[in-house]
Amino acid sequence: MDSIKVVVAGPRGRMGREAVILAEETSHFELAGVLDRKNGGEKLNEIAEGFSSSAPIYTDLKECLFETKADVLIDLTTPETGMLHAKTALEMGVRPVVGTTGFTEDNLKELQELSEAKGLGVIIAPNFAVGAVLMMKFSQMAAKYFPDIEIIEQHHDQKLDAPSGTGVKTAEMISAVREEKKQGHPNEKETLAGARGASYNGIRIHSVRLPGLVAHQEVLFGGEGQTLKIRHDSYDRKSFMSGVKLSCEQVMKLDTLVYGLENIIE
Ligand SMILES: NC(=O)c1ccc[n+]([C@@H]2O[C@H](COP(=O)([O-])OP(=O)(O)OC[C@H]3O[C@@H](n4cnc5c(N)ncnc54)[C@H](O)[C@@H]3O)[C@@H](O)[C@H]2O)c1
Ligand SMILES: O=C(O)C1=N[C@H](C(=O)O)CCC1
């Protein structure tokens, strides 16, 4: 396999740190540089413990991508920044692998158009954990038999976006096979705003944020006299790394945007 030059945006973050280690430890990846908000001009192993790479740190994405001649930009930052990074990368001929969540439908459309105009692959994966992808696929299957569905997603309390990217993606995948439906009593009323959670085509999504959590989701299905629960738990951010690795490999073969890891795993 040809070597892939990667740049990680957000290297000191919870996910970025793991992605840096992945790039350091994968023999056919070369960590060409990292994009941070500070420490520009320094080397990665000089600023934080636990990194072995002496990859250069940049604070300007264009300079970073130009100097490193990167193949892939792995973005693990914030929604606004991630969007800007993905667009800049495509403009500069670099393929984005985006784990950052909180993108809007308009964001995805804009990136898809740019990706096609440039003939360059983009992967946007709201969840890189294979178990989470299976949870979403199994939920899509179950929705055919159980159209009344509530999603409870639970994350650490430093998370910026709600509902989670995984929660939204699950509702989207289910909505692709399920008619829009008003759930609960037709006359139900919230006496406390938000009590019934968010609604995506009638599917309720509840977001829990607590210290101690990493990333967890349960999809609850109700039918006559029975319920079904499909649950996934990420206890460690290492759970996302095989998906990041696969995405970096696959994005090199793509010339369009792929939204969701389920579209590239076999
Ligand atoms: N797709 C997945 O499987 C998956 C898994 C976990 C987290 N996430 C998403 O990844 C993103 C990051 O999550 P996290 O927990 O690592 O967050 P975090 O807050 O720990 O890390 C974000 C990092 O981005 C950096 N950053 C912000 N703006 C920047 C900029 N302009 N340039 C360079 N760096 C910048 C911050 O300094 C920070 O270090 C979130 O959107 C989260 O939802 C996705
Ligand atoms: O820690 C986070 O933040 C996570 N975000 C993703 C989401 O929004 O679904 C995936 C799981 C972890």
Side-chain angles (χ1 to χ4, degrees):
M1 193 174 282
D2 288 343
S3 181
I4 302 172
K5 276 188 167 194
V6 305
V7 161
V8 176
R12 288 177 300 111
R14 287 174 287 265
M15 276 292 279
R17 187 171 283 274
E18 293 298 336
V20 163
I21 294 169
L22 171 78
E24 287 174 343
E25 292 180 349
T26 304
S27 58
H28 60 286
F29 285 6
E30 180 194 332
L31 184 66
V34 297
L35 183 75
D36 201 349
R37 285 195 293 195
K38 58 181 192 182
N39 305 311
E42 297 195 54
K43 305 272 183 221
L44 193 57
N45 54 3
E46 291 166 359
I47 61 127
E49 280 187 21
F51 294 135
S52 58
S53 165
S54 59
I57 302 171
Y58 294 87
T59 51
D60 182 89
L61 181 59
K62 285 187 178 161
E63 185 189 349
C64 172
L65 298 180
F66 180 76
E67 286 194 3
T68 59
K69 299 186 173 44
D71 298 307
V72 174
L73 170 71
I74 303 174
D75 190 85
L76 296 159
T77 59
T78 63
E80 297 74 24
T81 303
M83 181 63 192
L84 193 69
H85 284 177
K87 280 200 311 193
T88 307
L90 283 171
E91 295 289 1
M92 294 189 66
V94 177
R95 292 169 154 86
V97 166
V98 181
T100 306
T101 52
F103 280 28
T104 62
E105 273 180 33
D106 285 348
N107 290 156
L108 295 177
K109 192 164 173 280
E110 191 180 343
L111 288 177
Q112 171 137 30
E113 283 167 6
L114 189 55
S115 146
E116 278 163 20
K118 295 281 176 189
L120 288 170
V122 180
I123 293 179
I124 299 184
N127 200 312
F128 286 116
V130 66
V133 175
L134 291 174
M135 167 193 60
M136 291 185 255
K137 288 188 77 123
F138 294 157
S139 297
Q140 193 181 41
M141 287 165 67
K144 184 176 165 195
Y145 306 96
F146 293 96
D148 287 83
I149 304 158
E150 306 247 346
I151 297 171
I152 304 175
E153 55 94 344
Q154 305 184 17
H155 285 82
H156 59 91
D157 65 346
Q158 297 305 300
K159 186 163 178 58
L160 292 177
D161 52 316
S164 68
T166 311
V168 173
K169 183 69 162 140
T170 308
E172 289 170 349
M173 285 173 66
I174 291 171
S175 294
V177 299
R178 187 198 85 141
E179 295 283 309
E180 182 160 0
K181 183 174 194 297
K182 166 115 180 57
Q183 297 186 178
H185 195 285
N187 299 331
E188 76 179 12
K189 229 184 243 157
E190 286 184 336
T191 54
L192 211 51
R196 292 288 290 118
S199 172
Y200 186 99
N201 281 347
I203 300 165
R204 294 288 165 174
I205 310 180
H206 309 268
S207 298
V208 178
R209 298 289 177 265
L210 284 173
L213 294 171
V214 177
H216 318 261
Q217 182 171 294
E218 194 159 271
V219 188
L220 275 71
F221 300 86
E224 270 189 13
Q226 58 182 323
T227 60
L228 171 69
K229 293 175 191 143
I230 302 177
R231 183 178 173 103
H232 176 259
D233 296 274
S234 273
Y235 300 107
D236 190 306
R237 290 178 180 83
K238 295 268 182 232
S239 62
F240 303 115
M241 291 305 127
S242 60
V244 175
K245 177 168 173 275
L246 180 70
S247 298
C248 292
E249 292 162 357
Q250 294 300 314
V251 80
M252 293 304 294
K253 302 174 193 163
L254 296 171
D255 58 6
T256 185
L257 182 145
V258 167
Y259 169 51
L261 200 71
E262 69 280 5
N263 297 304
I264 58 164
I265 55 174
E266 285 168 8

Short mmCIF file of all heavy atoms in Angstrom, two decimals, residues 11 20 24 31 34 42-49 51 53-57:
data_model
loop_
_atom_site.label_atom_id
_atom_site.label_comp_id
_atom_site.label_asym_id
_atom_site.label_seq_id
_atom_site.Cartn_x
_atom_site.Cartn_y
_atom_site.Cartn_z
N PRO A 11 -4.71 18.48 17.22
CA PRO A 11 -3.89 17.38 17.77
C PRO A 11 -3.86 17.29 19.30
O PRO A 11 -3.52 16.24 19.82
CB PRO A 11 -2.49 17.69 17.23
CG PRO A 11 -2.48 19.18 17.04
CD PRO A 11 -3.87 19.52 16.57
N VAL A 20 -3.31 11.36 16.15
CA VAL A 20 -1.86 11.55 16.01
C VAL A 20 -1.14 10.23 16.30
O VAL A 20 -0.27 9.79 15.53
CB VAL A 20 -1.36 12.67 16.96
CG1 VAL A 20 0.15 12.60 17.14
CG2 VAL A 20 -1.79 14.03 16.44
N GLU A 24 1.17 8.01 13.86
CA GLU A 24 2.55 7.67 14.24
C GLU A 24 2.78 6.16 14.15
O GLU A 24 3.86 5.69 13.79
CB GLU A 24 2.84 8.12 15.68
CG GLU A 24 2.99 9.62 15.85
CD GLU A 24 3.14 10.03 17.33
OE1 GLU A 24 2.82 9.24 18.23
OE2 GLU A 24 3.56 11.16 17.56
N LEU A 31 2.86 11.10 9.33
CA LEU A 31 2.31 12.30 9.95
C LEU A 31 3.14 13.49 9.47
O LEU A 31 4.22 13.77 9.97
CB LEU A 31 2.34 12.19 11.48
CG LEU A 31 1.69 13.37 12.22
CD1 LEU A 31 0.18 13.43 11.95
CD2 LEU A 31 1.94 13.27 13.72
N VAL A 34 0.81 18.88 11.88
CA VAL A 34 -0.45 19.03 12.62
C VAL A 34 -0.85 20.50 12.57
O VAL A 34 0.01 21.38 12.47
CB VAL A 34 -0.35 18.55 14.09
CG1 VAL A 34 -0.06 17.06 14.17
CG2 VAL A 34 0.66 19.36 14.90
N GLU A 42 6.76 25.01 16.24
CA GLU A 42 7.41 24.02 17.12
C GLU A 42 7.19 22.60 16.57
O GLU A 42 6.51 22.41 15.57
CB GLU A 42 6.85 24.14 18.53
CG GLU A 42 7.15 25.51 19.14
CD GLU A 42 6.94 25.53 20.64
OE1 GLU A 42 7.53 24.67 21.33
OE2 GLU A 42 6.19 26.38 21.09
N LYS A 43 7.80 21.64 17.26
CA LYS A 43 7.62 20.23 16.85
C LYS A 43 6.67 19.56 17.86
O LYS A 43 6.69 19.88 19.06
CB LYS A 43 8.96 19.48 16.90
CG LYS A 43 10.05 20.15 16.06
CD LYS A 43 10.00 19.65 14.64
CE LYS A 43 11.12 20.25 13.83
NZ LYS A 43 10.72 20.64 12.50
N LEU A 44 5.93 18.59 17.36
CA LEU A 44 4.90 17.97 18.19
C LEU A 44 5.47 17.36 19.48
O LEU A 44 4.92 17.56 20.57
CB LEU A 44 4.20 16.89 17.36
CG LEU A 44 2.91 16.32 17.90
CD1 LEU A 44 1.88 17.41 18.15
CD2 LEU A 44 2.34 15.31 16.90
N ASN A 45 6.60 16.66 19.36
CA ASN A 45 7.14 15.99 20.57
C ASN A 45 7.77 16.98 21.56
O ASN A 45 8.14 16.60 22.66
CB ASN A 45 8.14 14.88 20.19
CG ASN A 45 9.25 15.38 19.30
OD1 ASN A 45 9.31 16.57 18.99
ND2 ASN A 45 10.12 14.47 18.88
N GLU A 46 7.83 18.26 21.15
CA GLU A 46 8.37 19.26 22.08
C GLU A 46 7.27 19.88 22.93
O GLU A 46 7.54 20.49 23.96
CB GLU A 46 9.06 20.41 21.30
CG GLU A 46 10.35 19.98 20.61
CD GLU A 46 10.81 21.03 19.59
OE1 GLU A 46 10.14 22.06 19.39
OE2 GLU A 46 11.87 20.77 18.98
N ILE A 47 6.02 19.76 22.49
CA ILE A 47 4.95 20.49 23.21
C ILE A 47 4.07 19.62 24.09
O ILE A 47 3.41 20.11 24.97
CB ILE A 47 4.04 21.29 22.24
CG1 ILE A 47 3.34 20.34 21.26
CG2 ILE A 47 4.81 22.37 21.50
CD1 ILE A 47 1.86 20.51 21.22
N ALA A 48 4.04 18.34 23.84
CA ALA A 48 3.14 17.51 24.64
C ALA A 48 3.74 16.13 24.86
O ALA A 48 4.35 15.57 23.95
CB ALA A 48 1.78 17.39 23.96
N GLU A 49 3.56 15.63 26.06
CA GLU A 49 4.07 14.29 26.37
C GLU A 49 3.22 13.24 25.65
O GLU A 49 2.05 13.45 25.40
CB GLU A 49 3.99 14.05 27.88
CG GLU A 49 5.14 14.71 28.59
CD GLU A 49 5.18 14.35 30.06
OE1 GLU A 49 4.61 13.32 30.44
OE2 GLU A 49 5.79 15.13 30.81
N PHE A 51 3.74 12.02 22.63
CA PHE A 51 3.91 12.01 21.18
C PHE A 51 5.36 11.70 20.86
O PHE A 51 6.27 12.28 21.45
CB PHE A 51 3.55 13.36 20.56
CG PHE A 51 2.09 13.74 20.69
CD1 PHE A 51 1.73 15.01 21.07
CD2 PHE A 51 1.10 12.82 20.41
CE1 PHE A 51 0.39 15.38 21.19
CE2 PHE A 51 -0.25 13.16 20.52
CZ PHE A 51 -0.60 14.44 20.92
N SER A 53 6.38 11.72 17.52
CA SER A 53 6.68 12.35 16.23
C SER A 53 7.21 13.78 16.40
O SER A 53 6.76 14.53 17.27
CB SER A 53 5.40 12.39 15.40
OG SER A 53 5.55 13.27 14.34
N SER A 54 8.13 14.11 15.52
CA SER A 54 8.64 15.49 15.50
C SER A 54 7.97 16.28 14.37
O SER A 54 8.55 17.20 13.81
CB SER A 54 10.16 15.50 15.34
OG SER A 54 10.46 14.84 14.12
N ALA A 55 6.74 15.88 14.05
CA ALA A 55 6.00 16.56 12.98
C ALA A 55 5.87 18.04 13.31
O ALA A 55 5.66 18.42 14.47
CB ALA A 55 4.60 15.94 12.84
N PRO A 56 5.98 18.90 12.28
CA PRO A 56 5.87 20.33 12.52
C PRO A 56 4.44 20.76 12.86
O PRO A 56 3.48 20.18 12.37
CB PRO A 56 6.31 20.95 11.18
CG PRO A 56 6.09 19.88 10.17
CD PRO A 56 6.25 18.56 10.87
N ILE A 57 4.37 21.79 13.72
CA ILE A 57 3.05 22.33 14.10
C ILE A 57 2.83 23.62 13.32
O ILE A 57 3.69 24.50 13.29
CB ILE A 57 3.01 22.63 15.62
CG1 ILE A 57 3.31 21.36 16.42
CG2 ILE A 57 1.66 23.22 16.02
CD1 ILE A 57 3.50 21.59 17.90
#
